[in-house]
Amino acid sequence: MKLNQRKDKNTQYTMCWLDYKRCEDENYINKVLPFISNIYIVENNYYIRNAALELKEGLRSVFGIDPIIQTNSYPDFKQGTVIGKLGNDVMERFISKTERDKVADEGFLIKSVTNDSKSIIVLAAKSESGIIYGVFELINRLRLKSDLSSLNIIENPKAALRIINHWDNMDGSIERGYAGDSIFFSNGRIKKSLKRIKDYARLLASTGINGIVINNVNVRGKAVWLITPKFLPQLSEIAEIFRLYGIKLYLSINFASPIYIGGLSTADPLDPGVIRWWQDTVKMIYTYIPDFGGFLVKADSEFNPGPYVYGRSHADGANMLAKALLPYGGIVIWRAFVYNCLQDWRDTKTDRAKAAYDNFKPLDGKFLDNVVLQIKYGPMDFQVREPVSPLFGGMEKTNQMIEFQITQEYTGQQIHLCYLGTLWKEILEFDTYCKGEGSYVKRIVDGSLFGRKYCGFAGVSNIGNSINWTGHDLAQANLWTFGRLAWDPDRSVEDIAKEWILLTFGDDKKVLENILWMLLNSHRIYEKYTTPLGLGWMVNPGHHYGPNPEGYEYSKWGTYHRADTKAIGVDRTSKGTGYTLQYHSHWQEIFDDMEKCPEELLLFFHRVPYTHRLKSGKTLIQFMYDSHFEGADEVDVLIQKWEELKGKIDENIFNRVSERLKMQKEHAIEWRDVINTYFYRKTGIPDEKGRVIYP
């Protein structure tokens, strides 16, 4: 071992929470040096060696040491970190059968072995992916100054699938991307440089992600051809980069590919020629990418082709693809985002919220075991607040993944600070009552409630080629939190956020306190000045940014919220659209009753007169005025909390965040004035507090 005091050269982009900062605590350094002075790998394969190199780089950056990776002296080691697979004879010297049996396929064990002659850290796993996850966990523990002498942890991911969805297009643009262009594609081609892709793989692996879909679910143009030899050689190189970090590559496909690529006259999933075409295509993909994860499919929705065109069901379409993938261990992830975007919203019985359940509930039990339904957390489209989709708990015989949108399409588009961890945690803790009390969403999507093999989390990526990956430096917390919740949905969001702050900004008490407050309160603040009470939308059509009270996407078919001069909201009760009937009886009763319905969802489930009094005693209209004023004012608190950190935060990061917060304040005022003006004009009821409502 030798000390290395050289400083890293600046890179053109940051590495978020992996920007390792030098530890200046000499007392801690002296305590841990024996445990990290050497790195021993008991199996010198390519993937384990890569994990050892990650550890070496982490130790070099944090502690200024340069440990040698050794493979031939482990019978006599006395100090250092030992890395290897469970079952190896050397590893078995330190690990009991009880400990070994507790480690799952992607899990890991990290324990210290200390006595008069040894100061050793043992890091073991069943798989290479478990080892890379364990290495990042060990680096994090060191950066957080954990006591290594008593370290003894076993961690296993609770969900089998922890996948990032990219909506990247071949021209380099990103649908709902707010952090620059794609790191994968440009000008109709796959980018040649893999440097940034490798750094991204490192970021994802450090949070426990194990799958990635790199292209948009709306597969059009050149992207249709990604599953052909024209692009597969380059995709195999990308797959290898992710494979090093325990991440499988998946691809979005166009259901009509047999027509577009194969020259067939049909894409009917029951047609023998179509079946053969997909079988041949899948076989070819696996010759290039042996551990290919499978396909993500958006079908029969928003003008994407699907089995409905041929009078077939979603089960027919998904199962045809699943059979082709089954011999290779691949899966089909079938999105449940299916609705008729051209329906007439003026019809009081028409309700987009019912669409996913109506389409998929009758198919429960008809999907093959390697088909997974990917279901948006709510029944609509990533609004600031929606109820949990009734499909969770409604399909006991079907694999299910929950889809979260990390990129903030309707929640400020990474211009506004809006930490989504608090919202996601509420959703995961929702009790569906499908098998009685305790039937939480988190137990459905981790597969344990119904004993399903393929379940998990899908997150729509929020990264691009911007200098800080996410446009807003604090939006990195959403990517981190998604990965950590997908790994363990039982974890406290506050603890996850704290960990991100400490790893990203260091352990200054004021920095931790202020940024934690900003994160944990930001979603509530954003909700206040935009669309409280489950109102939803009210954004500009198309790009979905900024206030537009009647700007629902398909406004020619009627406004979403159906506001008139007397009332606002949609009656989704059993006497209205009937949406509440899709829930189990416990929630049917609560959502049906205006007095029992959670007020944060009141306008989602009920049509409410403006004069209706809420539990606070305020009328609905006065609450709307107050909420928008309060939310805009509370952005000042976010700004103040950040300004207090001047000099404690890297100057470039500080200035970037300050600029975003300034924009957020301006836009919050615009939201406040536009929405309050709208309600004043609709109702003629003035703000009882005498604040200015612009006529």
Side-chain angles (χ1 to χ4, degrees), residues 71 79 93-94 137 235 253 297 394 404 431 458 565 684:
T71 60
Q79 291 186 338
R93 292 163 52 189
F94 305 106
E137 179 63 23
L235 289 175
I253 59 167
V297 188
F404 290 136
D431 192 344
T565 59

Side-chain angles (χ1 to χ4, degrees), residues 200-426:
Y200 184 44
R202 296 177 62 234
L203 283 171
L204 295 184
S206 71
T207 73
I209 295 299
N210 70 350
I212 186 167
V213 187
I214 66 170
N215 63 313
N216 195 350
V217 291
N218 294 313
V219 184
R220 302 187 177 107
K222 289 187 177 181
V224 176
W225 294 83
L226 281 172
I227 55 175
T228 71
K230 180 177 181 180
F231 293 106
L232 284 170
Q234 288 175 275
L235 289 175
S236 69
E237 295 178 12
I238 292 175
E240 173 59 12
I241 293 293
F242 283 112
R243 188 180 298 120
L244 274 171
Y245 291 91
I247 301 167
K248 284 187 176 182
L249 180 70
Y250 296 73
L251 291 172
S252 296
I253 59 167
N254 187 302
F255 192 79
S257 293
I259 298 173
Y260 299 140
I261 301 173
L264 302 185
S265 61
T266 181
D268 183 347
L270 301 189
D271 182 271
V274 171
I275 294 170
R276 282 194 301 274
W277 187 88
W278 278 112
Q279 288 173 339
D280 292 342
T281 297
V282 166
K283 181 179 180 180
M284 177 183 60
I285 292 171
Y286 278 93
T287 64
Y288 287 93
I289 309 172
D291 63 342
F292 180 64
F295 295 138
L296 174 65
V297 188
K298 178 180 178 180
D300 293 312
S301 180
E302 297 182 329
F303 312 110
N304 284 276
Y308 279 178
V309 175
Y310 306 100
R312 313 301 187 189
S313 72
H314 287 284
D316 292 330
N319 289 344
M320 178 270 294
L321 294 168
K323 288 176 183 176
L325 289 161
L326 186 60
Y328 309 94
I331 64 173
V332 174
I333 304 171
W334 195 271
R335 291 181 91 228
F337 185 55
V338 176
Y339 71 102
N340 178 7
C341 61
L342 299 180
Q343 56 194 342
D344 190 343
W345 305 101
R346 294 165 295 189
D347 180 352
T348 57
K349 293 295 182 181
T350 295
D351 190 358
R352 170 175 169 176
K354 295 169 62 178
Y357 189 96
D358 287 346
N359 276 283
F360 289 96
K361 171 63 175 175
L363 299 176
D364 191 26
K366 296 183 179 180
F367 292 98
L368 293 179
D369 287 341
N370 63 326
V371 174
V372 192
L373 278 192
Q374 183 168 305
I375 305 165
K376 290 188 178 185
Y377 83 80
M380 302 301 274
D381 192 16
F382 304 124
Q383 296 305 292
V384 185
R385 188 176 299 276
E386 301 179 32
V388 170
S389 170
L391 278 176
F392 296 114
M395 301 188 73
E396 300 187 11
K397 302 174 184 178
T398 303
N399 297 316
Q400 297 172 65
M401 298 177 70
I402 193 165
E403 181 176 324
F404 290 136
Q405 194 188 57
I406 310 171
T407 190
Q408 300 166 222
E409 178 182 355
Y410 292 101
T411 51
Q413 299 191 2
Q414 295 176 180
I415 295 172
H416 298 228
L417 173 61
C418 189
Y419 177 63
L420 298 173
T422 49
L423 175 66
W424 295 339
K425 185 64 173 174
E426 288 179 28

Side-chain angles (χ1 to χ4, degrees), residues 12 15 20 78 216 231 256 338 377 387 411 425 493 523 565 570 606 650 663 672:
Q12 66 181 88
M15 275 305 295
Y20 299 141
K78 292 181 172 58
N216 195 350
F231 293 106
V338 176
Y377 83 80
T411 51
K425 185 64 173 174
V493 164
H523 179 268
T565 59
V570 180
H606 294 275
D650 174 88
M663 294 170 67
R672 178 196 70 192

Side-chain angles (χ1 to χ4, degrees), residues 325-611:
L325 289 161
L326 186 60
Y328 309 94
I331 64 173
V332 174
I333 304 171
W334 195 271
R335 291 181 91 228
F337 185 55
V338 176
Y339 71 102
N340 178 7
C341 61
L342 299 180
Q343 56 194 342
D344 190 343
W345 305 101
R346 294 165 295 189
D347 180 352
T348 57
K349 293 295 182 181
T350 295
D351 190 358
R352 170 175 169 176
K354 295 169 62 178
Y357 189 96
D358 287 346
N359 276 283
F360 289 96
K361 171 63 175 175
L363 299 176
D364 191 26
K366 296 183 179 180
F367 292 98
L368 293 179
D369 287 341
N370 63 326
V371 174
V372 192
L373 278 192
Q374 183 168 305
I375 305 165
K376 290 188 178 185
Y377 83 80
M380 302 301 274
D381 192 16
F382 304 124
Q383 296 305 292
V384 185
R385 188 176 299 276
E386 301 179 32
V388 170
S389 170
L391 278 176
F392 296 114
M395 301 188 73
E396 300 187 11
K397 302 174 184 178
T398 303
N399 297 316
Q400 297 172 65
M401 298 177 70
I402 193 165
E403 181 176 324
F404 290 136
Q405 194 188 57
I406 310 171
T407 190
Q408 300 166 222
E409 178 182 355
Y410 292 101
T411 51
Q413 299 191 2
Q414 295 176 180
I415 295 172
H416 298 228
L417 173 61
C418 189
Y419 177 63
L420 298 173
T422 49
L423 175 66
W424 295 339
K425 185 64 173 174
E426 288 179 28
I427 294 160
L428 293 169
E429 297 293 340
F430 180 80
D431 192 344
T432 66
Y433 281 84
C434 61
K435 294 183 73 174
E437 190 173 0
S439 302
Y440 302 110
V441 169
K442 63 184 180 181
R443 297 287 83 90
I444 295 170
V445 300
D446 71 14
S448 63
L449 190 65
F450 300 131
R452 307 301 305 178
K453 180 179 179 181
Y454 293 115
C455 289
F457 294 72
V460 180
S461 173
N462 66 336
I463 74 103
N465 67 357
S466 68
I467 191 171
N468 57 3
W469 297 87
T470 57
H472 196 312
D473 288 79
L474 299 187
Q476 295 169 8
N478 284 328
L479 181 59
W480 166 267
T481 300
F482 173 81
R484 302 320 291 152
L485 280 177
W487 181 273
D488 183 4
D490 291 319
R491 279 197 67 186
S492 156
V493 164
E494 183 172 346
D495 287 346
I496 291 172
K498 279 182 181 178
E499 192 173 48
W500 176 78
I501 297 166
L502 290 168
L503 293 174
T504 304
F505 297 105
D507 59 1
D508 183 280
K509 184 178 178 181
K510 185 66 172 176
V511 171
L512 175 62
E513 178 184 286
N514 281 28
I515 297 180
L516 184 63
W517 190 95
M518 293 170 70
L519 293 178
L520 296 182
N521 288 278
S522 57
H523 179 268
R524 176 186 56 81
I525 292 170
Y526 184 85
E527 185 176 24
K528 278 187 174 184
Y529 65 73
T530 55
T531 52
L533 304 180
L535 188 56
W537 269 285
M538 286 194 162
V539 293
N540 286 303
H543 57 75
H544 296 168
Y545 188 80
N548 188 329
E550 295 188 347
Y552 183 53
E553 201 76 65
Y554 307 105
S555 57
K556 68 178 180 179
W557 301 108
T559 60
Y560 164 75
H561 49 72
R562 298 171 181 168
D564 60 21
T565 59
K566 302 296 183 184
I568 189 171
V570 180
D571 182 359
R572 291 192 165 94
T573 69
S574 55
K575 295 179 180 178
T577 69
Y579 170 70
T580 57
L581 297 175
Q582 294 183 347
Y583 290 90
H584 292 275
S585 58
H586 173 86
W587 288 109
Q588 286 179 22
E589 179 184 342
I590 291 172
F591 291 148
D592 252 3
D593 189 330
M594 190 182 296
E595 297 304 316
K596 295 179 181 178
C597 181
E599 282 193 340
E600 65 266 23
L601 292 170
L602 183 64
L603 297 183
F604 189 94
F605 283 104
H606 294 275
R607 183 161 182 79
V608 183
Y610 297 109
T611 54

Side-chain angles (χ1 to χ4, degrees), residues 22 26 34 132 143 167 188 192 194 199 218 258 260 265 316 399 424 444 497 511 525 549 620 660:
R22 184 64 55 89
E26 292 295 332
I132 193 70
R143 296 174 68 198
W167 288 356
K192 292 182 179 180
L194 300 177
D199 283 342
N218 294 313
Y260 299 140
S265 61
D316 292 330
N399 297 316
W424 295 339
I444 295 170
V511 171
I525 292 170
L620 173 62
R660 295 276 165 149

